[in-house]
Amino acid sequence: MRARNLLAAGAAVIATLSLSGCLVAPDHGPYTYDRGDRVDSDGNRDVGWCVEHPDNAHCRDAR
């Protein structure tokens, strides 16, 4: 019975630690919009972003 309790406790600790490993991608905004592309603050360009997101307010305004 003691082995089962240790196994259960170990599994609970491992499960808790694995959940804390979630990563959230950092946001590189603010964004600017140029000819249908979205450009982040580092100068990286998402080519054709407005084609994939036509309902975005920035894309609608650029038409």
Side-chain angles (χ1 to χ4, degrees), residues 18-61:
S18 68
L19 290 177
S20 67
C22 296
L23 295 176
V24 176
D27 187 17
H28 295 281
Y31 296 100
T32 57
Y33 297 84
D34 179 39
R35 292 174 284 175
D37 299 344
R38 183 175 76 165
V39 183
D40 68 10
S41 60
D42 295 330
N44 299 316
R45 183 176 290 268
D46 291 328
V47 177
W49 194 85
C50 283
V51 173
E52 297 175 17
H53 302 88
D55 294 332
N56 184 284
H58 297 286
C59 298
R60 286 192 309 259
D61 294 342

